[in-house]
Amino acid sequence: MSEILVLVDHADGAVKKVTLELLTLARRLGEPAAVFVGQGYDNAKSILAEYGAAKVYVAADAELAEYVVAPKVAVLASLVQDRQPGGVLLPSSADGKEIAGRLAVRVGAGVITDAVDVRDGFVCEQSVFGGGTIVQSRVRSGVPIVTVRPNSAAPEAAPADAAEEQVSVTLSDADKAARITDRVEVEKGERPDLAEASIVVSGGRGVGSGENFAVIEALADALGAAVGASRAATDAGWYPHQYQVGQTGKTVSPQLYLAAGISGAIQHRAGMQTSKTIVVVNKDAEAPLFEIADFGVVGDLHQVVPQLTEEVKKRKA
Amino acid sequence: MNIVVCVKQVPDTYSERRLDPGDKTLDRASADGVINELDEYAIEESLKLAEATGGTVTVLTMGPEKATESIRKALSMGADKAVHVLDDSLHGADAVQTSAALAAALDKVGFDLVVLGSESTDARMSVVPAMLAERLGLPQLTYASKVEVDGSAITVQRQAEYGYDKVEATLPAVVSVVEKINEPRYPSFKGIMAAKKKEVANFGVGDLGLAEADLGLAGAATEVVEFTPAPPREKGVVVTDEGDGGVKIADYLASQKIL
Ligand SMILES: Cc1cc2nc3c(=O)[nH]c(=O)nc-3n(C[C@H](O)[C@H](O)[C@H](O)COP(=O)(O)OP(=O)(O)OC[C@H]3O[C@@H](n4cnc5c(N)ncnc54)[C@H](O)[C@@H]3O)c2cc1C
Ligand SMILES: Nc1ncnc2c1ncn2[C@@H]1O[C@H](COP(=O)(O)O)[C@@H](O)[C@H]1O
């Protein structure tokens, strides 16, 4: 059985859920081999083993974190050349897609981004045009390189050896051309990652102001959800840009997407249409988002949302 | 500074977008074409940098005849000239091939800085800028929410989940921009008139020294096997709030085992 390389998405060894989803998908395609680049492998080891990594390639050279994207490409390219894997799976994050793209050029292969499923023979399912069309696609030359959207598979535990193998690469001058000199972290609370969250609560223009986003945040916290926003809300400066959902923002596909005060413009729908369950609160019964809602309430979000928050707290207590 | 800005024409999100049932490529002819929105921010940033450094801006587009409309719009915003990679053998190109053609065109025209949007609204791949950096062996300064050039030194803020990274490099370099970087200008009447006289050079595959066999649908490294319209979502329940809207949602979530 051929190896399927899975690039581990992590922050100092804290492994993101999407990695476990990728390992689960990789098991259908061959033998999962995780590729861990960076520091903190000790923290990651047991969870990678638990979710089925038969092998883990570890590239821990500190230099790898100093440059934009290219070092991870170098690590994967050397593994592709040496191990001839059956394919490479990466998360559909900003970095994941860029790594995949450069890797495809470097090893002479094709790349598919934003798969929502990967089946036997590396046939990939994609949801395009804002969710309107389902496409089955495949790579037909070279090793298949595929990025997969978070929440595309339910992670399943399948304990394996996670046999560790150190990898070291020599970076070329081109790999070192863009140097990271500083990392600026904006304050981030305890909420889950927007792209990965299984529940997202989003607010739009109907929220009315930046301060009023507290209503959205309170519900999100009661549900253990991430907060999202429409472009009208981010453009108004009510909520930071990186939380924007839609065509020019994030694409999310959570179990539950709850939208309050969002009309449902096509550009917004492009980023949330594939959510499993959609709940909408809007005072205008004609708001287009109701068309794709599984459950909707026509009403004032300033009444409905706080009541829901209280109700959630009560039922969870 | 000699800046090249990569501009893609995409089908307008408002028009019906579909794949051609024949060759399973994007049906570009039947939809209205517009400049990919993020590329307008790339054009704006290029114009600003050129104004600040006394440079020129060249628009680079690969696409069918129709893409000329978008080239003219970019010129009317203030770009100086344009290069249109136009060749029927490129129809159906995937990202690997598009990046090869754009890289070849960039080599031919020469540049100090390449500026792109960070994502196109049709393909939504966000890979072409990184692929160009790879092909050209240049620094990748992508997802920039701020760009500063000082002589041959370039610094950007690379937007990330946690905030941003500060990234430094030396020109020439490849930059892609995110939408919060600036506010794109509208073409002025004078700009629209002036654009009509600006030079647009057409390059074919032969001019770029690319082998035809590697290009277009036949040589693509990926293929669409089949496609189907997404099944419509089942119509849900919509109720009017009578003071118990929040409770009703909680009941619904409980019935779905979400709560
Ligand atoms: C090229 C392009 C790209 C775009 N990309 C994106 C994108 O990525 N993401 C995105 O979101 N948008 C995007 N947009 C913008 C999009 O077209 C809409 O303008 C935007 O989504 C509207 O946001 P909204 O629904 O919050 O605001 P509105 O459309 O103004 O809707 C506000 C809604 O709130 C309701 N409301 C008001 N008060 C209350 C209340 N008290 N209680 C309950 N309901 C209330 C109103 O009835 C209304 O339906 C893009 C547009 C373009 C042209
Ligand atoms: N055919 C093309 N012609 C010119 N620029 C392009 C083309 N395709 C992609 N680009 C550039 O690459 C960026 C990212 O595109 P993509 O990787 O397809 O999402 C776009 O915003 C454009 O700046």
Side-chain angles (χ1 to χ4, degrees), chain B residues 11-256:
Chain B
D12 193 342
T13 318
Y14 291 105
S15 58
E16 175 106 29
R17 291 176 295 179
R18 53 178 217 121
L19 295 168
D20 184 318
D23 66 3
K24 306 193 184 91
T25 61
L26 180 61
D27 180 355
R28 293 188 187 278
S30 77
D32 293 335
V34 293
I35 291 187
N36 178 42
E37 194 208 8
L38 280 165
D39 299 354
E40 294 191 17
Y41 296 79
I43 296 166
E44 177 65 33
E45 201 59 23
S46 302
L47 293 172
K48 275 191 178 157
L49 288 167
E51 282 155 12
T53 59
T56 59
V57 176
T58 305
V59 176
L60 171 58
T61 293
M62 166 177 143
E65 188 70 53
K66 196 175 164 202
T68 318
E69 306 153 5
S70 295
I71 293 177
R72 287 291 164 203
K73 175 158 184 213
L75 292 173
S76 65
M77 285 171 75
D80 298 286
K81 54 190 189 327
V83 170
H84 188 171
V85 179
L86 173 64
D87 196 310
D88 287 345
S89 64
L90 289 163
H91 171 77
D94 66 4
V96 171
Q97 296 164 310
T98 299
S99 65
L102 292 177
L106 285 163
D107 265 338
K108 198 174 157 83
V109 298
F111 59 89
D112 301 305
L113 185 66
V114 188
V115 185
L116 302 94
S118 51
E119 182 177 271
S120 57
T121 54
D122 54 351
R124 299 208 68 184
M125 290 187 77
S126 288
V127 293
V128 168
M131 284 175 153
L132 283 183
E134 175 73 25
R135 290 194 182 276
L136 299 165
L138 294 181
Q140 176 191 324
L141 306 172
T142 44
Y143 292 103
S145 54
K146 189 171 180 192
V147 179
E148 282 169 327
V149 176
D150 182 6
S152 67
I154 177 163
T155 311
V156 306
Q157 288 184 2
R158 173 178 169 81
Q159 184 169 284
E161 213 55 62
Y162 43 76
Y164 64 87
D165 285 342
K166 208 169 154 194
V167 182
E168 286 179 10
T170 307
L171 296 176
V174 178
V175 164
S176 81
V177 303
V178 297
E179 131 211 7
K180 73 168 177 196
I181 192 165
N182 58 38
E183 204 42 68
R185 66 193 69 182
Y186 289 102
S188 65
F189 179 71
K190 216 171 119 212
I192 294 169
M193 296 316 286
K196 295 189 172 144
K197 295 191 211 77
K198 288 177 179 168
E199 175 202 331
V200 180
N202 279 354
F203 287 176
V205 162
D207 303 315
L208 298 178
L210 296 165
E212 204 161 307
D214 298 338
L215 299 167
L217 199 51
T222 50
E223 68 176 342
V224 170
V225 185
E226 59 173 345
F227 67 90
T228 45
R233 291 186 82 97
E234 257 178 65
K235 187 103 190 76
V237 179
V238 178
V239 300
T240 301
D241 181 33
E242 282 158 1
D244 60 351
V247 175
K248 286 211 171 116
I249 295 176
D251 288 344
Y252 173 76
L253 296 180
S255 75
Q256 298 299 304

Side-chain angles (χ1 to χ4, degrees), chain A residues 208-286:
Chain A
S209 70
E211 296 83 71
N212 284 351
F213 253 82
V215 172
I216 303 294
E217 290 182 328
L219 176 58
D221 291 342
L223 287 165
V227 174
S230 74
R231 179 156 168 186
T234 58
D235 275 354
W238 298 347
Y239 219 69
H241 174 87
Q242 62 263 38
Y243 297 99
Q244 184 175 311
V245 171
Q247 180 177 301
T248 28
K250 296 258 155 48
T251 300
V252 299
S253 204
Q255 287 299 326
L256 169 64
Y257 188 84
L258 197 152
I262 296 178
S263 60
I266 188 158
Q267 296 89 353
H268 187 79
R269 283 167 24 178
M272 45 67 71
Q273 191 126 268
T274 54
S275 305
K276 312 291 174 299
T277 300
I278 296 172
V279 173
V280 173
V281 181
N282 196 307
K283 66 180 183 191
D284 173 10
E286 305 297 316

